[in-house]
């Protein structure tokens, strides 16, 4: 009987846990429009080691420009690329390619946004 109760409790927790971690479904491009400072990234949600970042993503008029990207002791800005919302996810064009990076919005409010990349990495933003 104890095993059945334990199994029921674990099942209930797993269902509750998946509801808490539900992704945000974007309806339009305007929901991410603005200037977002990328604070840090993590390789997984539970990763204890965050990687500090310095770049800023500017979403404006259907384009995203990534500014202040560190490289070899200096900084550069990426040219604007198209972005769109498809099936509730953020789809960002890759420079010089017909391919896209796809991001799931894990969390978003007026001041913060967390994106999950297609390979499981997490990007944590603050709105400027």
């Amino acid at each position: 009987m104890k095993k059945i109760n334990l199994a029921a409790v674990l099942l209930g927790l797993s269902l509750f846990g998946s509801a808490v971690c539900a992704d945000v479904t974007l309806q339009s491009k305007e929901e991410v429009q603005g200037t977002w400072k990328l604070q840090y990234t993590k390789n997984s949600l539970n990763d204890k080691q965050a990687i500090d970042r310095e770049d800023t993503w500017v979403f404006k008029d259907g384009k995203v420009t990534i500014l202040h990207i560190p490289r070899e002791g200096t900084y550069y800005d990426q040219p604007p690329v198209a972005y769109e919302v498809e099936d509730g996810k953020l789809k960002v064009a890759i420079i010089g390619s017909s391919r896209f990076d796809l991001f799931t919005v894990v969390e978003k409010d007026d001041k913060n946004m967390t994106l999950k990349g297609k390979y499981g990495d997490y990007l944590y933003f603050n709105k400027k």
Side-chain angles (χ1 to χ4, degrees):
M1 189 67 164
K2 289 183 181 181
K3 289 182 182 179
I4 293 174
N5 288 340
L6 179 61
V9 168
L10 291 175
L11 177 64
L13 287 174
S14 68
L15 291 174
F16 177 72
S18 64
V20 170
C21 294
D23 297 329
V24 175
T25 302
L26 294 177
Q27 303 299 320
S28 69
K29 293 184 206 182
E30 288 74 26
E31 291 181 69
V32 294
Q33 193 160 334
T35 302
W36 296 88
K37 170 81 172 103
L38 181 55
Q39 297 297 314
Y40 60 93
T41 61
K42 289 185 176 184
N43 290 329
S44 71
L45 191 59
N46 299 324
D47 192 359
K48 294 189 187 314
Q49 184 177 2
I51 301 165
D52 290 333
R53 297 292 297 263
E54 300 179 43
D55 34 325
T56 300
W57 294 29
V58 180
F59 294 90
K60 183 178 177 183
D61 299 328
K63 302 271 186 190
V64 60
T65 305
I66 302 176
L67 306 171
H68 200 69
I69 304 168
R71 168 129 343 136
E72 299 175 5
T74 187
Y75 296 91
Y76 74 98
D77 297 341
Q78 175 182 297
V81 294
Y83 78 93
E84 56 189 65
V85 171
E86 185 175 286
D87 297 328
K89 298 184 180 193
L90 185 62
K91 190 174 173 183
V92 178
I94 297 174
I95 292 178
S97 174
S98 60
R99 298 182 341 192
F100 288 83
D101 277 330
L102 195 61
F103 298 96
T104 301
V105 181
V106 176
E107 184 177 46
K108 184 183 173 311
D109 60 33
D110 292 341
K111 296 185 182 204
N112 300 297
M113 176 170 65
T114 304
L115 300 179
K116 180 181 178 186
K118 62 183 172 185
Y119 298 112
D121 52 325
Y122 286 81
L123 295 82
Y124 296 86
F125 293 89
N126 290 341
K127 192 150 191 184
K128 287 179 97 178

